[in-house]
Amino acid sequence: MSNDIEIELNEDLEVEEPKRYNVFLLNDDYSTMDFVIDVLVKVFRKNINEAETIMLSVHNNGKGLCGVYSFEIASTKVAQVKSLARDKGFPLKAIMEEE
């Protein structure tokens, strides 16, 4: 009796890259620039210069790209922004869009 293990591979199998999601912060009239920078540093691990650039994009263009992530990480970051904003009394909102 042989202990050989036979594995059959399906050559037609297509491997897809997981979908990626852009996470944006949206501008509002109440969240302070300092708070937005704080969120970018704490949640998105940006340095001060990157955070200021993104914050100005949010302020001037209505939204700013914070990063591109897998679904799980993007949704976690959106929830972290919501939680931090609520704790500080700001209406700052993050959204995710499929890339």
Coordinates of all heavy atoms in Angstrom, one line a residue:
M1 N 0.8 -1.2 0.0 CA 0.0 0.0 0.0 C 0.9 1.2 0.0 O 1.8 1.4 0.8 CB -0.9 0.0 1.2 CG -1.9 1.1 1.2 SD -3.0 0.9 2.7 CE -4.5 0.7 1.8
S2 N 0.6 2.2 -0.9 CA 1.4 3.4 -1.0 C 0.8 4.5 -0.2 O -0.4 4.7 -0.1 CB 1.4 3.7 -2.5 OG 2.1 5.0 -2.7
N3 N 1.7 5.3 0.3 CA 1.3 6.5 1.1 C 1.4 7.8 0.3 O 1.4 8.9 0.8 CB 2.2 6.7 2.4 CG 1.8 5.7 3.4 OD1 0.7 5.1 3.4 ND2 2.7 5.4 4.3
D4 N 1.5 7.6 -1.0 CA 1.6 8.8 -1.9 C 0.3 9.6 -1.8 O -0.8 9.0 -1.8 CB 1.8 8.4 -3.4 CG 3.2 7.8 -3.5 OD1 4.1 8.0 -2.7 OD2 3.4 7.1 -4.6
I5 N 0.4 10.9 -1.8 CA -0.7 11.8 -1.8 C -0.8 12.4 -3.2 O 0.2 13.0 -3.7 CB -0.6 12.9 -0.7 CG1 -0.6 12.2 0.7 CG2 -1.8 13.9 -0.8 CD1 -0.3 13.2 1.8
E6 N -1.9 12.3 -3.8 CA -2.1 12.8 -5.2 C -2.9 14.1 -5.1 O -4.0 14.2 -4.5 CB -2.8 11.8 -6.0 CG -2.9 12.3 -7.5 CD -3.5 11.2 -8.4 OE1 -3.1 10.0 -8.2 OE2 -4.3 11.5 -9.2
I7 N -2.3 15.2 -5.6 CA -3.0 16.5 -5.6 C -3.3 16.9 -7.0 O -2.4 16.9 -7.9 CB -2.1 17.6 -4.9 CG1 -1.8 17.2 -3.5 CG2 -2.8 18.9 -5.0 CD1 -0.9 18.1 -2.8
E8 N -4.5 17.2 -7.3 CA -4.9 17.6 -8.6 C -5.1 19.1 -8.6 O -5.9 19.6 -7.9 CB -6.2 16.9 -9.0 CG -6.6 17.1 -10.5 CD -7.8 16.2 -10.8 OE1 -7.8 15.1 -10.4 OE2 -8.7 16.8 -11.5
L9 N -4.4 19.8 -9.6 CA -4.5 21.2 -9.6 C -5.4 21.6 -10.8 O -5.2 21.0 -11.9 CB -3.1 21.9 -9.8 CG -2.2 21.7 -8.7 CD1 -0.8 22.3 -9.0 CD2 -2.7 22.4 -7.4
N10 N -6.2 22.5 -10.6 CA -7.1 23.0 -11.7 C -6.3 24.1 -12.4 O -6.2 25.2 -11.8 CB -8.4 23.5 -11.1 CG -9.4 24.0 -12.2 OD1 -9.0 24.1 -13.4 ND2 -10.6 24.2 -11.8
E11 N -5.9 23.9 -13.6 CA -5.1 24.9 -14.3 C -5.9 26.1 -14.7 O -5.4 27.2 -15.0 CB -4.5 24.3 -15.5 CG -3.4 23.3 -15.2 CD -2.8 22.6 -16.4 OE1 -2.9 23.1 -17.5 OE2 -2.1 21.6 -16.2
D12 N -7.3 26.0 -14.7 CA -8.1 27.1 -15.1 C -8.4 28.1 -13.9 O -9.1 29.1 -14.0 CB -9.5 26.6 -15.6 CG -9.3 25.8 -16.9 OD1 -8.3 26.0 -17.6 OD2 -10.1 24.9 -17.1
L13 N -7.9 27.7 -12.7 CA -8.1 28.5 -11.5 C -7.5 29.9 -11.7 O -6.3 30.1 -12.0 CB -7.5 27.9 -10.3 CG -7.7 28.5 -9.0 CD1 -9.2 28.5 -8.6 CD2 -6.9 27.8 -7.9
E14 N -8.4 30.9 -11.5 CA -7.9 32.3 -11.6 C -7.8 32.9 -10.2 O -8.7 32.8 -9.4 CB -8.9 33.2 -12.4 CG -8.9 32.9 -13.9 CD -9.8 33.8 -14.7 OE1 -9.8 35.0 -14.3 OE2 -10.4 33.3 -15.7
V15 N -6.6 33.5 -10.0 CA -6.4 34.1 -8.7 C -6.6 35.6 -8.8 O -5.9 36.2 -9.7 CB -5.0 33.7 -8.1 CG1 -4.8 34.4 -6.8 CG2 -4.8 32.2 -8.0
E16 N -7.5 36.2 -8.1 CA -7.7 37.6 -8.1 C -7.1 38.3 -7.0 O -7.1 37.8 -5.8 CB -9.2 37.9 -8.2 CG -9.9 37.5 -9.4 CD -11.3 37.9 -9.4 OE1 -11.7 38.7 -8.6 OE2 -12.1 37.4 -10.3
E17 N -6.5 39.5 -7.2 CA -6.0 40.3 -6.2 C -7.2 40.7 -5.3 O -8.3 41.0 -5.9 CB -5.3 41.5 -6.7 CG -4.0 41.2 -7.4 CD -2.9 40.8 -6.4 OE1 -2.9 41.4 -5.3 OE2 -2.2 39.9 -6.7
P18 N -7.1 40.8 -4.0 CA -8.2 41.3 -3.2 C -8.5 42.8 -3.6 O -7.6 43.5 -4.0 CB -7.7 41.2 -1.8 CG -6.2 41.0 -1.9 CD -5.9 40.5 -3.2
K19 N -9.8 43.2 -3.5 CA -10.1 44.5 -3.8 C -9.5 45.5 -2.8 O -9.3 45.1 -1.6 CB -11.7 44.7 -3.8 CG -12.3 44.0 -4.9 CD -13.8 44.1 -4.9 CE -14.4 43.5 -6.1 NZ -15.7 42.9 -5.9
R20 N -9.2 46.7 -3.3 CA -8.6 47.7 -2.4 C -9.6 48.9 -2.3 O -10.3 49.1 -3.2 CB -7.3 48.2 -3.1 CG -6.3 47.0 -3.4 CD -5.4 46.6 -2.4 NE -4.5 47.7 -2.1 CZ -3.8 47.8 -0.9 NH1 -3.9 46.9 0.0 NH2 -3.0 48.8 -0.7
Y21 N -9.5 49.6 -1.2 CA -10.5 50.6 -0.9 C -9.7 51.9 -0.6 O -8.8 51.9 0.3 CB -11.4 50.2 0.2 CG -12.3 49.1 -0.2 CD1 -11.9 47.8 -0.2 CD2 -13.6 49.3 -0.7 CE1 -12.7 46.7 -0.6 CE2 -14.4 48.3 -1.2 CZ -13.9 47.0 -1.1 OH -14.7 46.0 -1.5
N22 N -10.1 53.0 -1.2 CA -9.6 54.3 -0.9 C -10.4 54.8 0.4 O -11.6 54.7 0.4 CB -9.9 55.3 -2.0 CG -9.1 55.0 -3.2 OD1 -7.9 54.5 -3.2 ND2 -9.7 55.2 -4.4
V23 N -9.7 55.3 1.3 CA -10.4 55.9 2.5 C -10.1 57.4 2.4 O -9.0 57.9 2.3 CB -9.8 55.4 3.8 CG1 -10.5 56.1 5.0 CG2 -10.1 53.8 3.9
F24 N -11.3 58.2 2.5 CA -11.2 59.6 2.4 C -11.8 60.2 3.7 O -12.7 59.7 4.3 CB -12.1 60.1 1.3 CG -11.7 59.7 -0.1 CD1 -12.2 58.6 -0.7 CD2 -10.8 60.5 -0.8 CE1 -11.8 58.2 -2.0 CE2 -10.4 60.1 -2.1 CZ -10.9 59.0 -2.7
L25 N -11.3 61.4 4.1 CA -11.9 62.2 5.1 C -12.7 63.3 4.3 O -12.3 63.8 3.3 CB -10.9 62.9 6.0 CG -10.2 62.0 7.0 CD1 -9.2 62.9 7.8 CD2 -11.1 61.3 7.9
L26 N -13.9 63.6 4.8 CA -14.8 64.6 4.2 C -14.8 65.9 5.0 O -14.8 65.9 6.2 CB -16.2 64.0 4.1 CG -16.4 62.7 3.4 CD1 -17.9 62.3 3.4 CD2 -15.8 62.8 2.0
N27 N -14.8 67.0 4.3 CA -14.8 68.3 4.9 C -16.1 68.6 5.6 O -17.2 68.1 5.2 CB -14.5 69.4 3.9 CG -14.3 70.7 4.5 OD1 -13.6 70.8 5.6 ND2 -14.8 71.8 3.9
D28 N -16.1 69.3 6.7 CA -17.3 69.8 7.4 C -16.9 71.2 8.0 O -15.8 71.6 7.9 CB -17.8 68.8 8.5 CG -16.8 68.7 9.6 OD1 -16.6 69.7 10.4 OD2 -16.2 67.6 9.7
D29 N -17.9 71.9 8.4 CA -17.7 73.3 8.9 C -17.3 73.3 10.4 O -17.2 74.4 10.9 CB -18.9 74.1 8.6 CG -19.2 74.3 7.2 OD1 -18.2 74.3 6.4 OD2 -20.3 74.5 6.8
Y30 N -17.2 72.2 11.1 CA -17.0 72.2 12.5 C -15.7 71.6 13.0 O -15.1 72.0 14.0 CB -18.2 71.5 13.2 CG -19.5 72.2 12.8 CD1 -20.3 71.7 11.8 CD2 -19.9 73.4 13.4 CE1 -21.5 72.3 11.5 CE2 -21.0 74.1 13.0 CZ -21.8 73.5 12.1 OH -23.0 74.1 11.7
S31 N -15.3 70.5 12.4 CA -14.0 69.8 12.8 C -12.8 70.8 12.6 O -12.7 71.4 11.6 CB -13.8 68.5 12.0 OG -14.9 67.6 12.2
T32 N -12.0 70.9 13.7 CA -10.9 71.8 13.6 C -9.8 71.2 12.7 O -9.7 70.0 12.6 CB -10.3 72.2 15.0 OG1 -9.8 71.0 15.6 CG2 -11.4 72.8 15.9
M33 N -9.0 72.1 12.2 CA -7.8 71.6 11.4 C -6.9 70.8 12.3 O -6.4 69.7 11.8 CB -7.1 72.7 10.7 CG -7.9 73.4 9.6 SD -6.9 74.8 8.9 CE -8.1 75.3 7.6
D34 N -6.7 71.2 13.5 CA -5.8 70.5 14.4 C -6.4 69.1 14.7 O -5.6 68.1 14.8 CB -5.7 71.2 15.8 CG -4.8 72.4 15.6 OD1 -4.0 72.5 14.7 OD2 -4.9 73.3 16.5
F35 N -7.7 69.0 14.9 CA -8.3 67.6 15.1 C -8.1 66.7 13.9 O -7.8 65.5 14.1 CB -9.8 67.8 15.5 CG -10.5 66.4 15.6 CD1 -10.1 65.6 16.7 CD2 -11.4 66.0 14.7 CE1 -10.7 64.4 16.9 CE2 -12.0 64.7 14.8 CZ -11.6 63.9 15.9
V36 N -8.3 67.3 12.7 CA -8.1 66.5 11.5 C -6.7 66.0 11.4 O -6.4 64.8 11.1 CB -8.5 67.3 10.2 CG1 -8.2 66.5 9.0 CG2 -10.0 67.6 10.3
I37 N -5.7 66.8 11.7 CA -4.3 66.4 11.7 C -4.1 65.3 12.7 O -3.4 64.3 12.4 CB -3.4 67.7 11.9 CG1 -3.4 68.5 10.7 CG2 -2.0 67.2 12.2 CD1 -2.7 69.9 10.8
D38 N -4.7 65.5 13.9 CA -4.5 64.5 15.0 C -5.0 63.1 14.5 O -4.4 62.1 14.7 CB -5.3 65.0 16.2 CG -4.8 64.3 17.5 OD1 -3.6 64.0 17.6 OD2 -5.7 64.0 18.3
V39 N -6.2 63.1 13.8 CA -6.8 61.9 13.3 C -5.9 61.2 12.3 O -5.6 60.0 12.3 CB -8.2 62.1 12.7 CG1 -8.7 61.0 11.9 CG2 -9.2 62.4 13.8
L40 N -5.3 62.1 11.4 CA -4.4 61.5 10.3 C -3.2 60.9 10.9 O -2.7 59.9 10.4 CB -4.1 62.7 9.3 CG -5.3 63.0 8.4 CD1 -5.0 64.4 7.8 CD2 -5.5 62.0 7.4
V41 N -2.7 61.5 12.0 CA -1.5 61.0 12.6 C -1.8 59.7 13.4 O -1.1 58.7 13.3 CB -0.8 62.0 13.6 CG1 0.3 61.4 14.4 CG2 -0.3 63.2 12.7
K42 N -2.9 59.7 14.2 CA -3.2 58.6 15.1 C -3.8 57.4 14.3 O -3.4 56.3 14.5 CB -4.2 59.0 16.2 CG -3.5 59.9 17.2 CD -4.5 60.3 18.3 CE -3.8 61.1 19.3 NZ -4.8 61.7 20.3
V43 N -4.8 57.7 13.4 CA -5.5 56.6 12.7 C -4.7 56.1 11.5 O -4.6 54.9 11.2 CB -6.9 57.0 12.4 CG1 -7.6 55.9 11.6 CG2 -7.7 57.3 13.7
F44 N -4.2 57.1 10.7 CA -3.6 56.7 9.4 C -2.1 56.7 9.4 O -1.5 56.5 8.4 CB -4.2 57.7 8.4 CG -5.6 57.5 8.2 CD1 -6.5 58.4 8.8 CD2 -6.2 56.5 7.4 CE1 -7.9 58.3 8.6 CE2 -7.5 56.4 7.2 CZ -8.4 57.3 7.9
R45 N -1.5 57.0 10.6 CA 0.0 56.9 10.8 C 0.7 57.8 9.8 O 1.8 57.5 9.3 CB 0.5 55.4 10.6 CG -0.2 54.4 11.5 CD 0.3 54.5 12.9 NE -0.3 53.5 13.7 CZ -1.0 53.7 14.8 NH1 -1.3 54.9 15.1 NH2 -1.5 52.7 15.5
K46 N 0.2 59.0 9.6 CA 0.8 60.0 8.8 C 1.8 60.8 9.6 O 1.5 61.0 10.8 CB -0.2 60.9 8.1 CG -1.2 60.2 7.2 CD -0.6 59.4 6.1 CE -1.6 58.8 5.2 NZ -1.0 57.9 4.2
N47 N 2.9 61.3 9.0 CA 3.7 62.3 9.7 C 3.0 63.7 9.6 O 2.0 63.8 8.9 CB 5.2 62.3 9.2 CG 5.3 62.8 7.8 OD1 4.6 63.7 7.4 ND2 6.1 62.1 7.0
I48 N 3.6 64.6 10.4 CA 2.9 65.9 10.4 C 2.8 66.6 9.0 O 1.7 67.1 8.7 CB 3.6 66.9 11.4 CG1 3.5 66.4 12.8 CG2 3.2 68.3 11.3 CD1 2.1 66.4 13.4
N49 N 3.8 66.5 8.2 CA 3.8 67.1 6.9 C 2.7 66.5 6.0 O 2.0 67.1 5.3 CB 5.1 67.1 6.2 CG 6.2 68.0 6.9 OD1 5.8 69.0 7.5 ND2 7.4 67.7 6.7
E50 N 2.7 65.1 6.0 CA 1.6 64.4 5.2 C 0.3 64.8 5.7 O -0.7 65.0 5.0 CB 1.8 62.9 5.4 CG 3.1 62.3 4.7 CD 3.3 60.9 5.0 OE1 3.2 60.5 6.2 OE2 3.6 60.1 4.1
A51 N 0.1 64.8 7.1 CA -1.2 65.1 7.7 C -1.7 66.5 7.3 O -2.8 66.7 7.0 CB -1.1 64.9 9.2
E52 N -0.8 67.5 7.3 CA -1.1 68.8 6.9 C -1.6 68.9 5.5 O -2.5 69.6 5.1 CB 0.0 69.8 7.2 CG 0.2 70.1 8.7 CD 1.4 71.0 9.0 OE1 2.2 71.3 8.0 OE2 1.6 71.4 10.1
T53 N -0.8 68.2 4.6 CA -1.2 68.2 3.2 C -2.6 67.6 2.9 O -3.4 68.2 2.2 CB -0.1 67.4 2.4 OG1 1.2 68.0 2.6 CG2 -0.4 67.3 0.9
I54 N -2.8 66.5 3.6 CA -4.2 65.8 3.4 C -5.3 66.7 4.0 O -6.3 66.9 3.4 CB -4.2 64.4 4.1 CG1 -3.2 63.5 3.3 CG2 -5.6 63.8 4.0 CD1 -2.9 62.2 4.0
M55 N -5.0 67.3 5.2 CA -6.0 68.2 5.8 C -6.3 69.3 4.9 O -7.5 69.7 4.8 CB -5.4 68.7 7.2 CG -6.3 69.7 7.9 SD -6.1 71.4 7.4 CE -4.4 71.7 7.8
L56 N -5.3 69.9 4.3 CA -5.6 71.0 3.4 C -6.4 70.6 2.1 O -7.2 71.3 1.6 CB -4.3 71.7 2.9 CG -3.6 72.5 4.0 CD1 -2.2 73.0 3.6 CD2 -4.5 73.7 4.4
S57 N -6.2 69.4 1.7 CA -6.9 68.8 0.6 C -8.4 68.6 1.0 O -9.3 69.0 0.3 CB -6.4 67.5 0.1 OG -7.2 66.9 -0.9
V58 N -8.6 68.1 2.2 CA -10.0 68.0 2.8 C -10.6 69.4 2.8 O -11.8 69.6 2.4 CB -9.9 67.4 4.2 CG1 -11.3 67.4 4.8 CG2 -9.4 65.9 4.1
H59 N -9.9 70.3 3.4 CA -10.4 71.7 3.5 C -10.7 72.4 2.2 O -11.8 73.0 2.0 CB -9.4 72.5 4.3 CG -9.9 73.9 4.6 ND1 -10.9 74.2 5.5 CD2 -9.5 75.1 4.1 CE1 -11.1 75.6 5.5 NE2 -10.2 76.1 4.6
N60 N -9.8 72.2 1.3 CA -10.0 73.0 0.0 C -10.8 72.2 -1.1 O -11.4 72.9 -1.9 CB -8.6 73.3 -0.6 CG -7.8 74.3 0.3 OD1 -8.4 75.2 0.9 ND2 -6.5 74.1 0.4
N61 N -10.8 70.9 -1.0 CA -11.4 70.1 -2.1 C -12.6 69.3 -1.6 O -13.3 68.6 -2.4 CB -10.4 69.1 -2.7 CG -9.2 69.9 -3.2 OD1 -9.3 70.9 -3.8 ND2 -8.0 69.3 -3.0
G62 N -12.9 69.4 -0.3 CA -14.1 68.7 0.2 C -13.8 67.3 0.7 O -14.6 66.7 1.4
K63 N -12.7 66.7 0.2 CA -12.3 65.4 0.7 C -10.8 65.2 0.4 O -10.2 65.9 -0.4 CB -13.1 64.3 0.2 CG -12.9 63.9 -1.3 CD -13.8 62.7 -1.7 CE -13.5 62.3 -3.1 NZ -14.4 61.1 -3.5
G64 N -10.2 64.3 1.2 CA -8.8 64.0 1.0 C -8.5 62.6 1.2 O -9.1 61.9 2.1
L65 N -7.7 62.0 0.4 CA -7.3 60.6 0.4 C -6.3 60.3 1.5 O -5.3 60.9 1.6 CB -6.7 60.2 -0.9 CG -6.3 58.7 -1.0 CD1 -7.5 57.8 -0.9 CD2 -5.5 58.5 -2.3
C66 N -6.7 59.4 2.4 CA -5.9 59.1 3.6 C -5.1 57.8 3.4 O -4.0 57.7 4.0 CB -6.8 58.9 4.8 SG -7.8 60.2 5.2
G67 N -5.5 57.0 2.5 CA -4.8 55.7 2.2 C -5.6 54.8 1.4 O -6.8 55.0 1.2
V68 N -5.0 53.7 1.0 CA -5.6 52.6 0.2 C -5.4 51.3 1.0 O -4.2 51.0 1.3 CB -5.1 52.5 -1.2 CG1 -5.8 51.4 -2.0 CG2 -5.2 53.9 -1.9
Y69 N -6.5 50.6 1.3 CA -6.4 49.4 2.2 C -7.3 48.3 1.7 O -8.1 48.5 0.9 CB -6.8 49.8 3.6 CG -6.1 51.0 4.2 CD1 -6.7 52.3 4.1 CD2 -4.9 50.9 4.8 CE1 -6.1 53.4 4.5 CE2 -4.2 52.1 5.2 CZ -4.8 53.3 5.1 OH -4.2 54.4 5.6
S70 N -7.1 47.1 2.3 CA -8.0 46.0 2.1 C -9.3 46.4 2.8 O -9.4 47.4 3.6 CB -7.5 44.8 2.8 OG -7.5 44.9 4.2
F71 N -10.4 45.7 2.5 CA -11.7 46.0 3.0 C -11.7 46.1 4.5 O -12.3 47.0 5.1 CB -12.8 45.0 2.5 CG -14.1 45.2 3.0 CD1 -15.0 46.1 2.4 CD2 -14.6 44.6 4.2 CE1 -16.2 46.4 2.9 CE2 -15.8 44.9 4.7 CZ -16.7 45.8 4.1
E72 N -11.1 45.1 5.1 CA -11.2 45.0 6.6 C -10.5 46.2 7.2 O -11.0 46.8 8.2 CB -10.5 43.7 7.1 CG -11.3 42.4 6.7 CD -11.2 42.0 5.3 OE1 -10.3 42.5 4.6 OE2 -11.9 41.1 4.9
I73 N -9.3 46.5 6.7 CA -8.5 47.6 7.3 C -9.2 48.9 7.0 O -9.3 49.8 7.9 CB -7.1 47.6 6.8 CG1 -6.4 46.4 7.4 CG2 -6.3 48.9 7.2 CD1 -5.0 46.1 6.8
A74 N -9.7 49.1 5.8 CA -10.4 50.4 5.5 C -11.6 50.6 6.4 O -11.8 51.6 6.9 CB -10.8 50.3 4.0
S75 N -12.4 49.5 6.5 CA -13.6 49.7 7.4 C -13.3 49.9 8.8 O -14.0 50.7 9.5 CB -14.6 48.5 7.2 OG -13.9 47.3 7.5
T76 N -12.2 49.3 9.3 CA -11.7 49.6 10.7 C -11.3 51.1 10.8 O -11.7 51.7 11.8 CB -10.6 48.7 11.0 OG1 -11.0 47.3 11.0 CG2 -10.0 49.0 12.4
K77 N -10.6 51.6 9.9 CA -10.2 53.0 9.9 C -11.3 53.9 9.9 O -11.4 54.9 10.6 CB -9.2 53.3 8.8 CG -7.9 52.5 9.0 CD -6.7 53.2 8.6 CE -5.4 52.3 8.7 NZ -4.8 52.5 10.0
V78 N -12.4 53.7 9.1 CA -13.6 54.5 9.0 C -14.2 54.5 10.4 O -14.6 55.5 10.9 CB -14.5 54.0 7.9 CG1 -15.9 54.6 8.0 CG2 -13.9 54.3 6.5
A79 N -14.3 53.3 11.0 CA -14.9 53.2 12.3 C -14.1 53.9 13.4 O -14.7 54.6 14.3 CB -15.1 51.7 12.7
Q80 N -12.8 53.9 13.3 CA -11.9 54.6 14.3 C -12.1 56.1 14.1 O -12.2 56.8 15.2 CB -10.5 54.2 14.0 CG -10.1 52.8 14.4 CD -8.7 52.4 14.0 OE1 -8.2 52.8 13.0 NE2 -8.0 51.7 14.9
V81 N -12.2 56.6 12.9 CA -12.5 58.0 12.7 C -13.8 58.4 13.4 O -13.9 59.4 14.1 CB -12.4 58.4 11.2 CG1 -12.9 59.9 11.0 CG2 -11.0 58.2 10.7
K82 N -14.8 57.6 13.1 CA -16.2 57.9 13.6 C -16.1 58.0 15.2 O -16.7 58.9 15.8 CB -17.2 56.9 13.2 CG -18.6 57.1 13.6 CD -19.5 56.1 13.1 CE -20.9 56.3 13.5 NZ -21.9 55.3 13.0
S83 N -15.4 57.0 15.8 CA -15.4 56.9 17.2 C -14.6 58.1 17.8 O -15.1 58.7 18.8 CB -14.7 55.6 17.6 OG -14.5 55.5 19.0
L84 N -13.4 58.4 17.2 CA -12.7 59.6 17.7 C -13.4 60.9 17.6 O -13.4 61.7 18.5 CB -11.3 59.7 16.9 CG -10.1 58.9 17.4 CD1 -9.0 59.0 16.4 CD2 -9.7 59.4 18.8
A85 N -14.1 61.1 16.4 CA -14.8 62.3 16.2 C -16.0 62.4 17.2 O -16.2 63.5 17.8 CB -15.3 62.3 14.8
R86 N -16.7 61.3 17.4 CA -17.8 61.4 18.4 C -17.3 61.7 19.8 O -17.9 62.5 20.5 CB -18.5 60.0 18.3 CG -19.8 60.0 19.2 CD -20.6 58.7 19.0 NE -19.7 57.5 19.2 CZ -19.6 56.5 18.4 NH1 -20.4 56.4 17.3 NH2 -18.8 55.5 18.6
D87 N -16.2 61.1 20.2 CA -15.6 61.3 21.5 C -15.2 62.8 21.7 O -15.3 63.3 22.8 CB -14.4 60.4 21.7 CG -14.7 59.0 21.9 OD1 -15.9 58.6 22.1 OD2 -13.8 58.1 21.9
K88 N -14.8 63.4 20.6 CA -14.4 64.8 20.7 C -15.5 65.8 20.3 O -15.2 67.0 20.3 CB -13.1 65.1 19.9 CG -11.9 64.3 20.2 CD -11.4 64.7 21.6 CE -10.1 63.9 21.9 NZ -9.6 64.3 23.2
G89 N -16.6 65.3 20.0 CA -17.8 66.2 19.6 C -17.7 66.8 18.2 O -18.3 67.9 18.0
F90 N -17.0 66.2 17.3 CA -16.8 66.7 15.9 C -17.6 65.8 15.0 O -17.7 64.6 15.2 CB -15.4 66.7 15.5 CG -14.6 67.8 16.2 CD1 -13.5 67.4 17.0 CD2 -14.8 69.1 16.0 CE1 -12.8 68.4 17.7 CE2 -14.1 70.1 16.7 CZ -13.0 69.7 17.5
P91 N -18.1 66.4 13.9 CA -18.9 65.6 12.9 C -18.0 65.0 11.8 O -18.5 64.6 10.8 CB -19.9 66.6 12.3 CG -19.1 67.9 12.4 CD -18.3 67.8 13.6
L92 N -16.6 65.0 12.0 CA -15.7 64.5 11.0 C -16.1 63.1 10.5 O -16.5 62.2 11.3 CB -14.3 64.4 11.5 CG -13.2 64.0 10.5 CD1 -13.1 65.1 9.4 CD2 -11.9 63.8 11.2
K93 N -16.1 62.9 9.2 CA -16.6 61.6 8.6 C -15.5 61.1 7.7 O -15.0 61.8 6.9 CB -17.9 61.8 7.9 CG -18.5 60.6 7.4 CD -19.9 60.8 6.8 CE -20.5 59.5 6.2 NZ -21.7 59.8 5.5
A94 N -15.3 59.8 7.7 CA -14.5 59.1 6.8 C -15.4 58.2 5.9 O -16.3 57.6 6.5 CB -13.4 58.3 7.5
I95 N -15.0 58.0 4.7 CA -15.7 57.1 3.8 C -14.7 56.2 3.1 O -13.5 56.5 3.0 CB -16.6 57.8 2.8 CG1 -15.8 58.7 1.9 CG2 -17.7 58.6 3.5 CD1 -16.5 59.2 0.6
M96 N -15.2 55.1 2.6 CA -14.3 54.2 1.8 C -15.0 53.9 0.5 O -16.2 53.8 0.4 CB -14.0 52.9 2.5 CG -15.2 52.1 3.0 SD -14.7 50.7 4.1 CE -14.5 49.4 2.9
E97 N -14.2 53.9 -0.6 CA -14.7 53.7 -1.9 C -13.8 52.7 -2.6 O -12.6 52.7 -2.5 CB -14.7 55.0 -2.8 CG -15.6 56.1 -2.3 CD -15.4 57.4 -3.1 OE1 -14.6 57.4 -4.0 OE2 -16.2 58.3 -2.8
E98 N -14.4 51.7 -3.3 CA -13.6 50.7 -4.0 C -12.7 51.4 -5.0 O -13.1 52.3 -5.7 CB -14.6 49.7 -4.7 CG -13.8 48.5 -5.2 CD -14.8 47.4 -5.8 OE1 -15.9 47.2 -5.2 OE2 -14.4 46.9 -6.8
E99 N -11.5 50.9 -5.0 CA -10.5 51.5 -5.9 C -10.8 51.2 -7.4 O -11.3 50.2 -7.7 CB -9.1 51.0 -5.6 CG -8.0 51.8 -6.2 CD -6.6 51.3 -5.7 OE1 -6.5 50.0 -5.5 OE2 -5.8 52.1 -5.4

